[in-house]
Amino acid sequence: MAFVVLVICFIFNLLGRGIGDAYVTFLLPLETQFGWSRSEISSVYSIYMLANGFSAPLIGIMFDRLGPRIVCAVGFASLGLGYLVAGNLTQLWQFHLCVGVAGGIGVTSLGMVPSQSLISRWFPTNTSTAIGIAYAGFGAGTLVMVPFAQFLNDTVGWRNAYHILGGLMLVLLPLAMLLPWRIIRAGHADYARSLGAAPLSKNIFAPLRLAARSSGFWALGQAFFFTSLVIYTVTVQTIAFLVESGFSALEAASAFGVAGMLSVFGVGSSGKLADKFGHRLIVTITFSCTFLGLANLLAMAFYPSPWFLLGFVVFFGIAQGARGPIISGLCSKLFPGPGLATVYGALYAFMSVGAATGALLSGWFHDQTGGYATSIIFSMVSVALAVSPFWVSRALRKFG
């Protein structure tokens, strides 16, 4: 049953995050259709990530109190309805609500907040490795859904593309409800024994308040925030940047998808490597790869070349998302127990706020400078703030 749970978490991450990140393929069509500035269009993605983050603690509480079936239903329904309606929209604020708010809540409900808690129940001894595999669903979603969304944009138009993506989630909703959620929620027999069948506190915020007193919680929050800032200051504009550099829209989306494919390997192995060789070493290596990928992208801003594109895709792709399983695994070790989903939901909010900030800045930098170099340089500088908690925090250094 543990393997089945892991597959479910992987697929839900693939669908949720893949469809959420497919918004990058809508930037140029929306710009052409409505004449909005790049910062205005990017603000939709920022709202999406803010909703993704601020709903995470509530989704965690809902998971701890009501179980995964309800959370799953919220995810498929919110994302499906939001995107189905998005195909008929004409105003920016409507996109903020349907794609931003509804989409963000849906992706959170299907993402790592419930998955991390379920995996910790079924994989008590190799949690980081299993979390890494589930996290790889993010990269697989990028590989599958982003080129698929670009194909839909090119063939049936952006409105029908939204209709198809939203309709897909609504069709899958009743199928997801048929899963054996009572068994899935129970976890491995060792999980209940390790907790001693301890009941959850009547105060739903008690686990979070206890965690907030730990320096490790804030160190993980910093790592999550700046890691997302590094990534999303660049990725939201990547396809538009590549198209404006002379590549076709499908080539740009495919390169984005290949980077996502490579992230499957990086994400899938980072947790296991961190358990074996130490979290600080593996995190530092992944950030070094991210920095090299950004350096190649910066070079493309001045001299577009397939070789620089290859360097960006390989280095940036292999490290994209690789910190997620490591941070999630450390969260499980620092704050074990029945309130884990609530604590992780709060940490996830740091990640989403960082992503929202990065997305907003990427559009603002483009509007102010007319190019992409400033965003890339800003992202490269932010790498130092993302990796520093693993070297400075005493709570994190004890895990190697």
Side-chain angles (χ1 to χ4, degrees):
M1 190 63 191
F3 175 76
V4 174
V5 172
L6 186 57
V7 170
I8 291 171
C9 292
F10 179 91
I11 293 175
F12 281 11
N13 277 322
L14 184 154
L15 289 171
R17 192 58 174 267
I19 290 179
D21 282 354
Y23 181 73
V24 298
T25 67
F26 291 89
L27 261 68
L28 292 179
L30 292 178
E31 186 177 50
T32 301
Q33 176 81 40
F34 299 109
W36 295 330
S37 70
R38 194 64 60 82
S39 58
E40 287 177 318
I41 300 173
S42 297
S43 69
V44 176
Y45 196 89
S46 295
I47 295 296
Y48 154 67
M49 291 308 302
L50 286 174
N52 185 254
F54 288 136
S55 66
L58 298 178
I59 295 298
I61 292 172
M62 185 184 299
F63 178 94
D64 287 333
R65 293 289 168 173
L66 303 178
R69 184 190 297 272
I70 300 299
V71 171
C72 171
V74 170
F76 277 96
S78 182
L79 192 57
L81 289 173
Y83 273 52
L84 188 66
V85 174
N88 300 319
L89 304 183
T90 59
Q91 302 295 321
L92 185 62
W93 67 267
Q94 296 171 335
F95 282 91
H96 286 159
L97 288 178
C98 293
V99 178
V101 176
I105 293 173
V107 171
T108 301
S109 301
L110 296 174
M112 283 308 299
V113 174
S115 292
Q116 196 256 7
S117 186
L118 287 175
I119 288 171
S120 68
R121 299 180 182 199
W122 284 98
F123 296 88
T125 58
N126 52 353
T127 307
S128 295
T129 301
I131 287 175
I133 295 173
Y135 247 109
F138 287 1
T142 301
L143 174 64
V144 174
M145 301 309 300
V146 172
F148 177 59
Q150 185 64 61
F151 171 77
L152 292 176
N153 272 289
D154 291 341
T155 55
V156 299
W158 69 268
R159 292 189 181 278
N160 286 326
Y162 269 128
H163 289 152
I164 292 172
L165 293 175
L168 173 65
M169 299 304 287
L170 293 179
V171 168
L172 292 175
L173 172 58
L175 299 178
M177 292 299 96
L178 296 177
L179 293 172
W181 288 110
R182 181 174 297 180
I183 298 174
I184 292 172
R185 181 181 187 180
H188 193 277
D190 291 341
Y191 171 77
R193 285 196 295 268
S194 67
L195 294 178
L200 187 65
S201 170
K202 293 182 179 180
N203 182 355
I204 60 176
F205 296 107
L208 180 56
R209 288 177 179 174
L210 184 62
R213 298 173 186 171
S214 166
S215 62
F217 175 85
W218 298 104
L220 291 178
Q222 177 184 336
F224 246 157
F225 176 87
F226 282 103
T227 299
S228 295
L229 186 69
V230 167
I231 300 300
Y232 287 94
T233 303
V234 170
T235 54
V236 177
Q237 305 287 343
T238 297
I239 290 180
F241 170 47
L242 294 178
V243 170
E244 293 178 10
S245 297
F247 297 92
S248 71
L250 190 56
E251 286 174 335
S254 298
F256 195 89
V258 171
M261 179 190 69
L262 291 175
S263 77
V264 172
F265 298 102
V267 172
S269 60
S270 63
K272 185 175 183 178
L273 291 173
D275 286 340
K276 184 175 182 179
F277 298 107
H279 297 76
R280 184 167 60 252
L281 173 63
I282 301 304
V283 162
T284 304
I285 291 174
T286 64
F287 274 118
S288 298
C289 289
T290 298
F291 190 88
L292 290 173
L294 291 171
N296 277 272
L297 195 65
L298 181 61
M300 281 192 61
F302 301 98
Y303 181 70
S305 165
W307 291 108
F308 287 137
L309 177 59
L310 178 64
F312 166 72
V313 168
V314 171
F315 286 111
F316 191 88
I318 198 71
Q320 186 177 359
R323 279 72 56 161
I326 297 174
I327 295 174
S328 300
L330 289 173
C331 178
S332 298
K333 294 177 181 179
L334 287 171
F335 313 108
L340 176 60
T342 301
V343 176
Y344 185 76
L347 284 173
Y348 193 87
F350 283 90
M351 185 276 290
S352 296
V353 172
T357 304
L360 192 61
L361 286 174
S362 70
W364 186 79
F365 284 143
H366 178 273
D367 288 345
Q368 295 300 311
T369 65
Y372 301 90
T374 303
S375 294
I376 300 170
I377 294 172
F378 177 83
S379 184
M380 294 172 73
V381 172
S382 298
V383 168
L385 294 173
V387 72
S388 62
F390 296 93
W391 289 91
V392 175
S393 170
R394 183 177 301 176
L396 301 188
R397 288 205 312 267
K398 67 181 182 181
F399 294 105

mmCIF file of all heavy atoms in Angstrom, residues 50-67 70-71 74 105 108-109 113-114 204-205 208 341-349:
data_model
loop_
_atom_site.group_PDB
_atom_site.id
_atom_site.type_symbol
_atom_site.label_atom_id
_atom_site.label_comp_id
_atom_site.label_asym_id
_atom_site.label_seq_id
_atom_site.Cartn_x
_atom_site.Cartn_y
_atom_site.Cartn_z
ATOM 1 N N LEU A 50 0.689 33.375 -4.113
ATOM 2 C CA LEU A 50 0.269 33.842 -2.790
ATOM 3 C C LEU A 50 -0.885 33.007 -2.265
ATOM 4 O O LEU A 50 -0.902 32.609 -1.091
ATOM 5 C CB LEU A 50 -0.138 35.315 -2.860
ATOM 6 C CG LEU A 50 0.998 36.337 -2.991
ATOM 7 C CD1 LEU A 50 0.429 37.737 -3.194
ATOM 8 C CD2 LEU A 50 1.892 36.307 -1.747
ATOM 9 N N ALA A 51 -1.870 32.732 -3.124
ATOM 10 C CA ALA A 51 -2.976 31.872 -2.716
ATOM 11 C C ALA A 51 -2.476 30.476 -2.406
ATOM 12 O O ALA A 51 -2.924 29.826 -1.439
ATOM 13 C CB ALA A 51 -4.032 31.819 -3.823
ATOM 14 N N ASN A 52 -1.529 30.015 -3.191
ATOM 15 C CA ASN A 52 -0.894 28.721 -2.971
ATOM 16 C C ASN A 52 -0.244 28.656 -1.595
ATOM 17 O O ASN A 52 -0.349 27.648 -0.883
ATOM 18 C CB ASN A 52 0.133 28.485 -4.080
ATOM 19 C CG ASN A 52 0.781 27.129 -4.027
ATOM 20 O OD1 ASN A 52 1.944 27.014 -3.636
ATOM 21 N ND2 ASN A 52 0.063 26.099 -4.423
ATOM 22 N N GLY A 53 0.403 29.751 -1.202
ATOM 23 C CA GLY A 53 1.107 29.766 0.074
ATOM 24 C C GLY A 53 0.219 30.034 1.263
ATOM 25 O O GLY A 53 0.273 29.318 2.266
ATOM 26 N N PHE A 54 -0.626 31.062 1.168
ATOM 27 C CA PHE A 54 -1.448 31.438 2.322
ATOM 28 C C PHE A 54 -2.535 30.414 2.614
ATOM 29 O O PHE A 54 -3.025 30.338 3.741
ATOM 30 C CB PHE A 54 -2.066 32.820 2.104
ATOM 31 C CG PHE A 54 -1.071 33.939 2.201
ATOM 32 C CD1 PHE A 54 -1.080 34.974 1.282
ATOM 33 C CD2 PHE A 54 -0.119 33.960 3.204
ATOM 34 C CE1 PHE A 54 -0.157 36.014 1.366
ATOM 35 C CE2 PHE A 54 0.806 34.987 3.296
ATOM 36 C CZ PHE A 54 0.794 36.014 2.372
ATOM 37 N N SER A 55 -2.925 29.629 1.614
ATOM 38 C CA SER A 55 -3.905 28.571 1.868
ATOM 39 C C SER A 55 -3.245 27.326 2.452
ATOM 40 O O SER A 55 -3.940 26.465 3.011
ATOM 41 C CB SER A 55 -4.634 28.199 0.573
ATOM 42 O OG SER A 55 -3.754 27.599 -0.365
ATOM 43 N N ALA A 56 -1.921 27.229 2.349
ATOM 44 C CA ALA A 56 -1.229 26.009 2.778
ATOM 45 C C ALA A 56 -1.440 25.687 4.263
ATOM 46 O O ALA A 56 -1.726 24.528 4.600
ATOM 47 C CB ALA A 56 0.263 26.119 2.457
ATOM 48 N N PRO A 57 -1.299 26.663 5.206
ATOM 49 C CA PRO A 57 -1.574 26.321 6.606
ATOM 50 C C PRO A 57 -3.006 25.842 6.829
ATOM 51 O O PRO A 57 -3.246 24.921 7.610
ATOM 52 C CB PRO A 57 -1.304 27.636 7.355
ATOM 53 C CG PRO A 57 -0.387 28.405 6.465
ATOM 54 C CD PRO A 57 -0.817 28.056 5.076
ATOM 55 N N LEU A 58 -3.966 26.464 6.132
ATOM 56 C CA LEU A 58 -5.362 26.059 6.278
ATOM 57 C C LEU A 58 -5.595 24.676 5.680
ATOM 58 O O LEU A 58 -6.354 23.866 6.232
ATOM 59 C CB LEU A 58 -6.276 27.085 5.610
ATOM 60 C CG LEU A 58 -6.220 28.499 6.194
ATOM 61 C CD1 LEU A 58 -7.143 29.431 5.411
ATOM 62 C CD2 LEU A 58 -6.604 28.482 7.670
ATOM 63 N N ILE A 59 -4.945 24.402 4.548
ATOM 64 C CA ILE A 59 -5.045 23.068 3.950
ATOM 65 C C ILE A 59 -4.425 22.035 4.881
ATOM 66 O O ILE A 59 -4.945 20.917 5.032
ATOM 67 C CB ILE A 59 -4.351 23.035 2.579
ATOM 68 C CG1 ILE A 59 -5.079 23.956 1.593
ATOM 69 C CG2 ILE A 59 -4.291 21.610 2.034
ATOM 70 C CD1 ILE A 59 -6.509 23.567 1.314
ATOM 71 N N GLY A 60 -3.317 22.401 5.534
ATOM 72 C CA GLY A 60 -2.699 21.492 6.492
ATOM 73 C C GLY A 60 -3.615 21.194 7.661
ATOM 74 O O GLY A 60 -3.747 20.037 8.097
ATOM 75 N N ILE A 61 -4.263 22.228 8.186
ATOM 76 C CA ILE A 61 -5.219 22.036 9.284
ATOM 77 C C ILE A 61 -6.397 21.181 8.817
ATOM 78 O O ILE A 61 -6.852 20.269 9.519
ATOM 79 C CB ILE A 61 -5.709 23.401 9.803
ATOM 80 C CG1 ILE A 61 -4.558 24.143 10.494
ATOM 81 C CG2 ILE A 61 -6.878 23.230 10.776
ATOM 82 C CD1 ILE A 61 -4.887 25.571 10.857
ATOM 83 N N MET A 62 -6.890 21.462 7.608
ATOM 84 C CA MET A 62 -7.997 20.680 7.065
ATOM 85 C C MET A 62 -7.604 19.213 6.926
ATOM 86 O O MET A 62 -8.398 18.304 7.222
ATOM 87 C CB MET A 62 -8.407 21.255 5.705
ATOM 88 C CG MET A 62 -9.644 20.589 5.102
ATOM 89 S SD MET A 62 -10.029 21.219 3.440
ATOM 90 C CE MET A 62 -10.316 22.947 3.820
ATOM 91 N N PHE A 63 -6.376 18.977 6.486
ATOM 92 C CA PHE A 63 -5.897 17.596 6.350
ATOM 93 C C PHE A 63 -5.849 16.912 7.711
ATOM 94 O O PHE A 63 -6.314 15.778 7.868
ATOM 95 C CB PHE A 63 -4.505 17.601 5.710
ATOM 96 C CG PHE A 63 -3.903 16.226 5.565
ATOM 97 C CD1 PHE A 63 -4.056 15.513 4.389
ATOM 98 C CD2 PHE A 63 -3.177 15.648 6.602
ATOM 99 C CE1 PHE A 63 -3.507 14.242 4.253
ATOM 100 C CE2 PHE A 63 -2.624 14.385 6.481
ATOM 101 C CZ PHE A 63 -2.791 13.679 5.297
ATOM 102 N N ASP A 64 -5.278 17.591 8.710
ATOM 103 C CA ASP A 64 -5.163 16.992 10.042
ATOM 104 C C ASP A 64 -6.526 16.733 10.665
ATOM 105 O O ASP A 64 -6.694 15.767 11.419
ATOM 106 C CB ASP A 64 -4.331 17.898 10.959
ATOM 107 C CG ASP A 64 -2.842 17.871 10.610
ATOM 108 O OD1 ASP A 64 -2.382 16.852 10.077
ATOM 109 O OD2 ASP A 64 -2.152 18.878 10.871
ATOM 110 N N ARG A 65 -7.495 17.579 10.367
ATOM 111 C CA ARG A 65 -8.810 17.477 11.010
ATOM 112 C C ARG A 65 -9.804 16.649 10.211
ATOM 113 O O ARG A 65 -10.551 15.850 10.783
ATOM 114 C CB ARG A 65 -9.385 18.885 11.224
ATOM 115 C CG ARG A 65 -8.612 19.702 12.239
ATOM 116 C CD ARG A 65 -8.831 19.167 13.643
ATOM 117 N NE ARG A 65 -7.892 19.745 14.592
ATOM 118 C CZ ARG A 65 -7.958 19.558 15.899
ATOM 119 N NH1 ARG A 65 -8.917 18.821 16.416
ATOM 120 N NH2 ARG A 65 -7.046 20.087 16.695
ATOM 121 N N LEU A 66 -9.861 16.849 8.896
ATOM 122 C CA LEU A 66 -10.913 16.238 8.082
ATOM 123 C C LEU A 66 -10.418 15.099 7.208
ATOM 124 O O LEU A 66 -11.224 14.324 6.691
ATOM 125 C CB LEU A 66 -11.583 17.303 7.209
ATOM 126 C CG LEU A 66 -12.193 18.489 7.955
ATOM 127 C CD1 LEU A 66 -12.770 19.499 6.963
ATOM 128 C CD2 LEU A 66 -13.273 18.013 8.920
ATOM 129 N N GLY A 67 -9.109 15.012 6.990
ATOM 130 C CA GLY A 67 -8.562 13.915 6.217
ATOM 131 C C GLY A 67 -8.305 14.262 4.764
ATOM 132 O O GLY A 67 -8.740 15.300 4.243
ATOM 133 N N ILE A 70 -11.325 15.000 1.709
ATOM 134 C CA ILE A 70 -11.887 16.340 1.568
ATOM 135 C C ILE A 70 -10.886 17.271 0.900
ATOM 136 O O ILE A 70 -11.239 18.067 0.013
ATOM 137 C CB ILE A 70 -12.308 16.898 2.944
ATOM 138 C CG1 ILE A 70 -13.353 15.994 3.586
ATOM 139 C CG2 ILE A 70 -12.835 18.314 2.809
ATOM 140 C CD1 ILE A 70 -14.627 15.872 2.787
ATOM 141 N N VAL A 71 -9.641 17.171 1.307
ATOM 142 C CA VAL A 71 -8.605 18.021 0.723
ATOM 143 C C VAL A 71 -8.463 17.739 -0.773
ATOM 144 O O VAL A 71 -8.329 18.659 -1.590
ATOM 145 C CB VAL A 71 -7.267 17.805 1.459
ATOM 146 C CG1 VAL A 71 -6.133 18.512 0.731
ATOM 147 C CG2 VAL A 71 -7.361 18.308 2.894
ATOM 148 N N VAL A 74 -11.371 19.315 -2.710
ATOM 149 C CA VAL A 74 -11.162 20.753 -2.837
ATOM 150 C C VAL A 74 -10.162 21.044 -3.953
ATOM 151 O O VAL A 74 -10.352 21.969 -4.755
ATOM 152 C CB VAL A 74 -10.670 21.346 -1.502
ATOM 153 C CG1 VAL A 74 -10.210 22.785 -1.686
ATOM 154 C CG2 VAL A 74 -11.770 21.278 -0.453
ATOM 155 N N ILE A 105 -5.288 27.651 -4.607
ATOM 156 C CA ILE A 105 -5.878 26.766 -3.587
ATOM 157 C C ILE A 105 -5.924 25.328 -4.101
ATOM 158 O O ILE A 105 -5.620 24.379 -3.365
ATOM 159 C CB ILE A 105 -7.286 27.255 -3.210
ATOM 160 C CG1 ILE A 105 -7.204 28.602 -2.485
ATOM 161 C CG2 ILE A 105 -8.002 26.226 -2.337
ATOM 162 C CD1 ILE A 105 -8.551 29.245 -2.225
ATOM 163 N N THR A 108 -2.363 23.735 -4.097
ATOM 164 C CA THR A 108 -1.937 23.431 -2.731
ATOM 165 C C THR A 108 -2.634 22.176 -2.210
ATOM 166 O O THR A 108 -2.003 21.319 -1.562
ATOM 167 C CB THR A 108 -2.251 24.601 -1.792
ATOM 168 O OG1 THR A 108 -1.579 25.770 -2.258
ATOM 169 C CG2 THR A 108 -1.792 24.306 -0.370
ATOM 170 N N SER A 109 -3.911 22.041 -2.502
ATOM 171 C CA SER A 109 -4.676 20.902 -2.001
ATOM 172 C C SER A 109 -4.220 19.582 -2.611
ATOM 173 O O SER A 109 -4.431 18.520 -2.022
ATOM 174 C CB SER A 109 -6.168 21.112 -2.293
ATOM 175 O OG SER A 109 -6.643 22.303 -1.691
ATOM 176 N N VAL A 113 1.704 19.606 0.629
ATOM 177 C CA VAL A 113 1.191 19.717 2.001
ATOM 178 C C VAL A 113 0.520 18.411 2.420
ATOM 179 O O VAL A 113 0.892 17.821 3.440
ATOM 180 C CB VAL A 113 0.237 20.919 2.145
ATOM 181 C CG1 VAL A 113 -0.400 20.930 3.530
ATOM 182 C CG2 VAL A 113 0.996 22.225 1.914
ATOM 183 N N PRO A 114 -0.466 17.894 1.662
ATOM 184 C CA PRO A 114 -1.003 16.585 2.026
ATOM 185 C C PRO A 114 -0.034 15.444 1.725
ATOM 186 O O PRO A 114 0.049 14.472 2.500
ATOM 187 C CB PRO A 114 -2.278 16.463 1.178
ATOM 188 C CG PRO A 114 -2.076 17.389 0.044
ATOM 189 C CD PRO A 114 -1.260 18.522 0.578
ATOM 190 N N ILE A 204 -5.955 23.843 17.317
ATOM 191 C CA ILE A 204 -5.441 23.498 15.997
ATOM 192 C C ILE A 204 -4.131 24.210 15.672
ATOM 193 O O ILE A 204 -3.385 23.767 14.797
ATOM 194 C CB ILE A 204 -6.485 23.824 14.908
ATOM 195 C CG1 ILE A 204 -6.833 25.320 14.919
ATOM 196 C CG2 ILE A 204 -7.728 22.987 15.096
ATOM 197 C CD1 ILE A 204 -7.785 25.726 13.801
ATOM 198 N N PHE A 205 -3.829 25.292 16.369
ATOM 199 C CA PHE A 205 -2.595 26.018 16.105
ATOM 200 C C PHE A 205 -1.461 25.618 17.054
ATOM 201 O O PHE A 205 -0.358 26.154 16.951
ATOM 202 C CB PHE A 205 -2.834 27.522 16.211
ATOM 203 C CG PHE A 205 -3.793 28.058 15.181
ATOM 204 C CD1 PHE A 205 -5.080 28.447 15.526
ATOM 205 C CD2 PHE A 205 -3.409 28.176 13.856
ATOM 206 C CE1 PHE A 205 -5.963 28.940 14.593
ATOM 207 C CE2 PHE A 205 -4.291 28.665 12.908
ATOM 208 C CZ PHE A 205 -5.573 29.047 13.274
ATOM 209 N N LEU A 208 1.828 24.439 15.406
ATOM 210 C CA LEU A 208 2.518 25.536 14.734
ATOM 211 C C LEU A 208 3.169 26.478 15.739
ATOM 212 O O LEU A 208 4.296 26.936 15.533
ATOM 213 C CB LEU A 208 1.534 26.293 13.849
ATOM 214 C CG LEU A 208 2.093 27.478 13.060
ATOM 215 C CD1 LEU A 208 3.255 27.044 12.194
ATOM 216 C CD2 LEU A 208 0.988 28.114 12.214
ATOM 217 N N ALA A 341 1.298 18.232 9.143
ATOM 218 C CA ALA A 341 0.737 18.905 7.968
ATOM 219 C C ALA A 341 0.513 20.392 8.241
ATOM 220 O O ALA A 341 0.706 21.236 7.365
ATOM 221 C CB ALA A 341 -0.580 18.241 7.555
ATOM 222 N N THR A 342 0.122 20.724 9.456
ATOM 223 C CA THR A 342 -0.092 22.127 9.818
ATOM 224 C C THR A 342 1.224 22.896 9.795
ATOM 225 O O THR A 342 1.310 24.005 9.243
ATOM 226 C CB THR A 342 -0.731 22.225 11.207
ATOM 227 O OG1 THR A 342 -1.977 21.524 11.210
ATOM 228 C CG2 THR A 342 -0.978 23.680 11.590
ATOM 229 N N VAL A 343 2.271 22.296 10.379
ATOM 230 C CA VAL A 343 3.582 22.944 10.408
ATOM 231 C C VAL A 343 4.140 23.085 9.003
ATOM 232 O O VAL A 343 4.633 24.152 8.605
ATOM 233 C CB VAL A 343 4.551 22.150 11.304
ATOM 234 C CG1 VAL A 343 5.951 22.769 11.250
ATOM 235 C CG2 VAL A 343 4.049 22.114 12.736
ATOM 236 N N TYR A 344 4.051 22.008 8.227
ATOM 237 C CA TYR A 344 4.582 22.065 6.866
ATOM 238 C C TYR A 344 3.797 23.052 6.011
ATOM 239 O O TYR A 344 4.363 23.725 5.147
ATOM 240 C CB TYR A 344 4.562 20.682 6.229
ATOM 241 C CG TYR A 344 5.210 20.666 4.861
ATOM 242 C CD1 TYR A 344 6.594 20.710 4.736
ATOM 243 C CD2 TYR A 344 4.444 20.635 3.701
ATOM 244 C CE1 TYR A 344 7.196 20.717 3.494
ATOM 245 C CE2 TYR A 344 5.029 20.647 2.452
ATOM 246 C CZ TYR A 344 6.403 20.682 2.354
ATOM 247 O OH TYR A 344 7.002 20.697 1.114
ATOM 248 N N GLY A 345 2.493 23.144 6.259
ATOM 249 C CA GLY A 345 1.696 24.121 5.526
ATOM 250 C C GLY A 345 2.192 25.539 5.756
ATOM 251 O O GLY A 345 2.237 26.357 4.828
ATOM 252 N N ALA A 346 2.576 25.838 6.995
ATOM 253 C CA ALA A 346 3.103 27.170 7.294
ATOM 254 C C ALA A 346 4.440 27.393 6.593
ATOM 255 O O ALA A 346 4.707 28.482 6.049
ATOM 256 C CB ALA A 346 3.254 27.341 8.803
ATOM 257 N N LEU A 347 5.303 26.383 6.594
ATOM 258 C CA LEU A 347 6.580 26.506 5.892
ATOM 259 C C LEU A 347 6.371 26.648 4.389
ATOM 260 O O LEU A 347 7.086 27.392 3.715
ATOM 261 C CB LEU A 347 7.462 25.284 6.184
ATOM 262 C CG LEU A 347 8.126 25.241 7.563
ATOM 263 C CD1 LEU A 347 8.827 23.914 7.772
ATOM 264 C CD2 LEU A 347 9.119 26.394 7.720
ATOM 265 N N TYR A 348 5.393 25.935 3.881
ATOM 266 C CA TYR A 348 5.078 26.005 2.453
ATOM 267 C C TYR A 348 4.673 27.426 2.063
ATOM 268 O O TYR A 348 4.912 27.870 0.938
ATOM 269 C CB TYR A 348 3.965 25.021 2.137
ATOM 270 C CG TYR A 348 3.748 24.769 0.663
ATOM 271 C CD1 TYR A 348 4.474 23.788 -0.006
ATOM 272 C CD2 TYR A 348 2.803 25.501 -0.056
ATOM 273 C CE1 TYR A 348 4.261 23.542 -1.349
ATOM 274 C CE2 TYR A 348 2.591 25.263 -1.403
ATOM 275 C CZ TYR A 348 3.325 24.276 -2.047
ATOM 276 O OH TYR A 348 3.121 24.043 -3.381
ATOM 277 N N ALA A 349 4.064 28.142 3.010
ATOM 278 C CA ALA A 349 3.679 29.524 2.747
ATOM 279 C C ALA A 349 4.905 30.386 2.463
ATOM 280 O O ALA A 349 4.858 31.287 1.612
ATOM 281 C CB ALA A 349 2.888 30.085 3.925
#
